[in-house]
Amino acid sequence: QVQLVESGGGLVQPGGSLRLSCAASGSIFSINTMGWYRQAPGKERELVATVTSGGSTNYADSVKGRFTISRDNAKNTVYLQMNSLKPEDTAVYYCNAGVVSPFLQARDYWGKGTLVTVSS
């Protein structure tokens, strides 16, 4: 079993910054792509950013230039640095990881989410 635990959410004023973290633990051989998704009230869950094990990144157009995703493979942790936050960034942010078990079975895992609220 694998657990993903997010941290770092909270209330921030427009223009402010937050850094989200997500640590994976459990029965892990390796982790392929890790990413962040978000779901705003009344909307579908959407991709925010992903990073491969080799460090290649992908971003939603809405966050390019403002958010930076990174990972520490030794710690099985992914980060999301969010700058110049806007009210429309308000959402529950979910961590996702493609985990390969010691039995070489691959499966997607999700965290429980962390709430980010951007408001004055």
Side-chain angles (χ1 to χ4, degrees):
Q1 191 65 300
V2 172
Q3 297 80 39
L4 300 182
V5 178
E6 300 111 332
S7 61
L11 173 64
V12 63
Q13 292 187 342
S17 298
L18 280 176
R19 188 191 194 210
L20 306 183
S21 300
C22 171
S25 62
S27 186
I28 299 170
F29 175 75
S30 65
I31 303 179
N32 296 324
T33 299
M34 302 184 80
W36 290 95
Y37 294 72
R38 67 186 181 187
Q39 187 167 17
K43 294 188 176 181
E44 298 285 320
R45 188 175 297 190
E46 64 177 3
L47 169 77
V48 176
T50 61
V51 57
T52 68
S53 57
S56 296
T57 58
N58 179 53
Y59 294 93
D61 287 343
S62 59
V63 307
K64 282 181 181 176
R66 300 188 297 123
F67 292 9
T68 303
I69 190 169
S70 61
R71 64 189 282 175
D72 184 331
N73 291 330
K75 296 181 178 179
N76 290 332
T77 299
V78 63
Y79 306 96
L80 186 69
Q81 177 66 43
M82 304 185 294
N83 299 328
S84 302
L85 282 160
K86 305 175 180 179
E88 51 263 45
D89 295 318
T90 295
V92 177
Y93 284 69
Y94 296 92
C95 174
N96 172 269
V99 176
V100 179
S101 75
F103 300 102
L104 301 184
Q105 294 175 321
R107 178 186 161 183
D108 257 12
Y109 288 88
W110 291 90
K112 294 183 178 180
T114 184
L115 177 62
V116 172
T117 303
V118 185
S119 175
S120 55

